[in-house]
Amino acid sequence: MSSSNRAWQIASPGKLILADAGPRPPPGPHQVLVRNRAVSLNYRDLLCLDHSPNYPIKHKADLVPCLDGAGEIEAVGEGSQWKVGDRVIIQPNTWLTGTDPRNFKLNETIGAGEIDGTLQQYMLWNDDRVFKAPDSMTLEEACTLYTAGVTAWYSLKYGEPKLQAGGKILTQGTGGVSCYAIQIAAASGATVVATSSSDEKLEIAKELGAKHLINYRKTPDWSTDVLKATNSEGVDVVVEVVGGAGLLDSVKAARFGGRISVIGILSGDDTPVALTQPLLYGAKTLQACFGAGSKEMAIELSAFAEKHQLHPPIAQVFEFDEADKAMQALRTLSGVGKIVIRV
């Protein structure tokens, strides 16, 4: 068996190469050597690959990209709390406890800047930077839990009003965050209203737990349908992943005192929208959720996912030698859920 570590590195903007990253390092005290088994891709990974000016950190030469990963403990150092064979998920940043986003440091997140990420076979990592994968999930499912799952968890559970049984939640589309949000909300006893441009994808949303389905291409004024589905009350929380001019519909769809958790800008539309009046007179909150969370939140979600047997949908799985193709597929992703690379 080879003792080397193969890794994908960014050779130049937009180009990945598969390289020998050297021998596997032995873990020191309170460290573990993780054998990565699966990596989930995020839009942020494309920004890093392309050296996009929209990502505010410059990257080192030969950076190993990606921040989401799951695998097994291959070796442990002295005093480690883990044991060989444990299934774990990588905590990709140094925000370990609490809910205050000021504890998040962008320059201490892996797969960008000076810190190599998960698109490699082995990672030497500190004990406190991994957490238990849900027993109910495959590692291909588990590798999606941090960015997509914790973002959904954060947007639903942290802020007022928060997700609770009997509440009403609005989700948009069938990307990774939205699929997690549907499952989390449904498992918590809330009613989910799901929107999509595709009837076929809406049927998948229904299978995940959504009760009310709205095709926004057929109903451009879709906030009206949300109000009809909620007895004219509106929803408690909107998981807003589209942005642009559609943000006004999200505000209209929220109930009096409701919350719009803004996560994405998938529309690419910077059109100014008249939000002041519906926000002010509806006593509504517009909350930015930047796509990360603490390890403490991740552990909460991992336990919840195991208790409720959550299984996030996977849009497509690529083999490790096809990682460059997986990145290109991410540019035009139209499937339900996440793209995953099997390591």
Side-chain angles (χ1 to χ4, degrees):
M1 181 183 296
S2 171
S3 62
S4 64
N5 177 27
R6 292 200 306 159
W8 284 93
Q9 300 172 339
I10 300 176
S12 59
K15 183 179 181 181
L16 284 172
I17 60 170
L18 184 56
D20 187 337
R24 306 174 205 164
H30 305 289
Q31 287 187 324
V32 290
L33 181 66
V34 179
R35 173 63 169 96
N36 282 333
R37 293 296 182 184
V39 172
S40 175
L41 300 186
N42 299 287
Y43 179 66
R44 175 259 201 187
D45 301 326
L46 283 181
L47 296 179
C48 295
L49 173 62
D50 294 340
H51 289 204
S52 170
N54 292 326
Y55 196 80
I57 293 179
K58 292 184 177 179
H59 310 298
K60 70 173 185 174
D62 300 327
L63 174 75
V64 177
C66 302
L67 60 82
D68 275 332
E72 300 153 345
I73 303 294
E74 176 115 337
V76 298
E78 182 181 354
S80 174
Q81 62 181 300
W82 300 97
K83 64 181 185 297
V84 173
D86 282 345
R87 294 170 8 115
V88 296
I89 298 170
I90 299 293
Q91 169 68 21
N93 57 54
T94 55
W95 185 9
L96 301 183
T97 61
T99 62
D100 189 341
R102 289 175 295 182
N103 291 323
F104 172 77
K105 295 179 174 59
L106 187 65
N107 64 339
E108 294 179 358
T109 302
I110 65 174
E114 298 294 317
I115 310 174
D116 286 334
T118 57
L119 200 51
Q120 54 184 316
Q121 292 175 315
Y122 293 90
M123 292 181 70
L124 183 64
W125 219 226
N126 290 339
D127 260 17
D128 61 358
R129 294 285 297 279
V130 297
F131 58 94
K132 179 182 178 293
D135 291 337
S136 54
M137 286 189 184
T138 67
L139 289 175
E140 289 164 6
E141 293 171 329
C143 74
T144 72
L145 186 140
Y146 179 78
T147 297
V150 175
T151 298
W153 185 258
Y154 190 6
S155 68
L156 292 170
K157 291 283 191 177
Y158 294 91
E160 293 295 339
K162 60 171 61 70
L163 171 67
Q164 59 185 353
K168 300 179 182 70
I169 306 297
L170 173 66
T171 64
Q172 299 175 327
T174 51
V177 173
S178 297
C179 287
Y180 264 107
I182 293 169
Q183 293 187 89
I184 292 168
S188 299
T191 297
V192 180
V193 183
T195 68
S196 174
S197 62
S198 161
D199 288 340
E200 181 179 352
K201 290 180 180 179
L202 284 172
E203 284 303 312
I204 296 175
K206 183 178 180 180
E207 291 173 6
L208 294 174
K211 181 176 180 181
H212 301 288
L213 311 174
I214 300 172
N215 186 320
Y216 63 79
R217 292 207 186 280
K218 295 179 179 178
T219 312
D221 186 21
W222 53 263
S223 60
T224 301
D225 277 14
V226 175
L227 294 176
K228 289 178 181 176
T230 57
N231 297 319
S232 299
E233 294 177 354
V235 298
D236 300 293
V237 182
V238 179
V239 182
E240 164 63 67
V241 300
V242 178
L247 185 57
L248 181 57
D249 275 308
S250 290
V251 174
K252 290 178 178 179
R255 70 164 173 80
F256 186 87
R259 178 167 58 91
I260 302 91
S261 188
V262 182
I263 295 167
I265 47 173
L266 293 178
S267 71
D269 178 9
D270 292 329
T271 304
V273 290
L275 295 176
T276 304
Q277 187 172 350
L279 280 173
L280 179 63
Y281 291 110
K284 301 173 185 181
T285 300
L286 199 63
Q287 177 186 21
C289 182
F290 61 97
S294 68
K295 178 186 171 187
E296 183 178 339
M297 295 179 196
I299 292 171
E300 290 173 358
L301 174 56
S302 181
F304 181 91
E306 186 167 321
K307 177 181 178 181
H308 294 280
Q309 297 289 298
L310 301 191
H311 292 281
I314 306 298
Q316 197 169 0
V317 177
F318 289 82
E319 298 301 327
F320 187 62
D321 290 345
E322 302 175 311
D324 51 344
K325 296 178 182 178
M327 283 287 194
Q328 295 309 311
L330 181 61
R331 297 183 189 277
T332 57
L333 175 63
S334 59
V336 175
K338 302 289 287 182
I339 289 179
V340 169
I341 298 171
R342 185 185 294 122
V343 182

